[in-house]
């Protein structure tokens, strides 16, 4: 539970900040009728989907124009799960967004890049992911880097003048370069300089957003 505290604090801060700011602004400011002076310039956010997996994450979005913004999100999962699964990773995903109405409000389309470092293994399973057999992760540990690019669609729901809820789904291409180690009493190198290529979902987000 302690690992979720940073994201929980951000969510609570969002609603406390929104409540106090909206009260000070008065009843006259509608969430849907923003002038140039009150239009958000930047935002902080956390992805509830990642929070549920104890992945610490934070995003920063900056408006570049009336209908253009730059979003940069980062995820960190530096620990082994209680069941022994190792899913350590560090990921950065910059994204250029084009909004159909105005920045931070309504529909948007996006192009993004992906960069990650990972260390995964001891994940005993019997499932397939987009046709790829994942069961070897129960017998091997893989360590390496991943990079790629993709496109996404999303929608931002205006909750109040200073809070949004945001949904986003993205598809893309990723290449992962890694070394594989056979698990056992003594870990041994199984394959060096291996790689896999992947095309499919690369982003899924339900963000709580603080607007500034």
């Amino acid at each position: 539970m302690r690992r979720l505290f940073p994201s929980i604090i951000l969510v609570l801060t969002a609603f406390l900040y929104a409540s106090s700011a909206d009260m000070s602004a008065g009843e006259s400011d509608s969430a849907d009728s923003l002038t140039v002076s009150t239009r958000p310039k930047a935002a902080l956010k956390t992805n509830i989907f990642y929070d549920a997996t104890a992945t610490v994450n934070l995003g920063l979005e900056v408006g570049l124009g009336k209908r253009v913004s730059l979003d940069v999100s980062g995820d960190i999962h530096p620990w082994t799960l209680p069941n022994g699964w190792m899913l350590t990773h560090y990921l950065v995903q910059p994204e250029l967004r084009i909004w159909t109405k105005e920045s931070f409000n309504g529909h948007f389309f996006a192009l993004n890049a992906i960069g990650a470092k990972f260390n995964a293994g001891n994940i005993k399973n019997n499932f397939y992911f987009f046709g790829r057999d994942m069961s070897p992760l129960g017998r091997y540990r893989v360590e390496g880097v991943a990079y790629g690019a993709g496109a996404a669609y999303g929608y931002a729901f205006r909750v109040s003048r200073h809070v949004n809820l945001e949904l986003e789904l993205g598809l893309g291409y990723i290449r992962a370069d890694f070394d594989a180690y056979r698990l056992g009493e003594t870990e041994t190198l199984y394959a060096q300089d291996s790689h896999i290529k992947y095309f499919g979902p690369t982003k899924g987000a339900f963000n709580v957003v603080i607007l500034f």
Side-chain angles (χ1 to χ4, degrees), residues 53-200:
T53 63
T55 301
V56 177
N57 68 95
L58 189 66
L60 171 64
E61 185 173 1
V62 178
L64 302 180
K66 181 179 179 181
R67 296 194 299 116
V68 181
S69 65
L70 177 65
D71 179 272
V72 180
S73 62
D75 312 331
I76 301 175
H77 192 291
W79 35 70
T80 299
L81 297 178
N83 59 3
W85 287 16
M86 181 181 295
L87 287 168
T88 303
H89 70 269
Y90 307 88
L91 182 146
V92 176
Q93 195 167 26
E95 179 173 272
L96 182 67
R97 293 179 168 183
I98 306 297
W99 299 77
T100 60
K101 184 178 179 181
E102 62 181 1
S103 298
F104 307 101
N105 189 16
H107 303 272
F108 66 86
F109 298 90
L111 295 175
N112 55 57
I114 303 162
K117 184 176 182 180
F118 61 87
N119 187 2
N122 198 35
I123 305 173
K124 296 176 174 59
N125 68 89
N126 188 28
F127 62 86
Y128 287 76
F129 185 72
F130 283 83
R132 188 179 298 276
D133 182 12
M134 304 301 291
S135 62
L137 284 176
R139 305 187 299 274
Y140 301 93
R141 179 177 68 85
V142 293
E143 182 175 2
V145 297
Y147 47 92
Y153 162 78
Y155 189 88
F157 302 85
R158 184 63 55 80
V159 176
S160 74
R161 183 178 170 186
H162 292 283
V163 175
N164 272 2
L165 293 178
E166 184 180 277
L167 292 172
E168 184 178 12
L169 179 64
L171 298 173
Y173 166 84
I174 294 176
R175 175 185 168 116
D177 298 321
F178 61 92
D179 296 332
Y181 300 84
R182 191 189 302 273
L183 298 175
E185 292 185 6
T186 302
E187 194 174 86
T188 57
L189 180 64
Y190 174 75
Q192 191 171 23
D193 298 328
S194 298
H195 73 271
I196 58 173
K197 298 176 182 179
Y198 162 81
F199 179 80

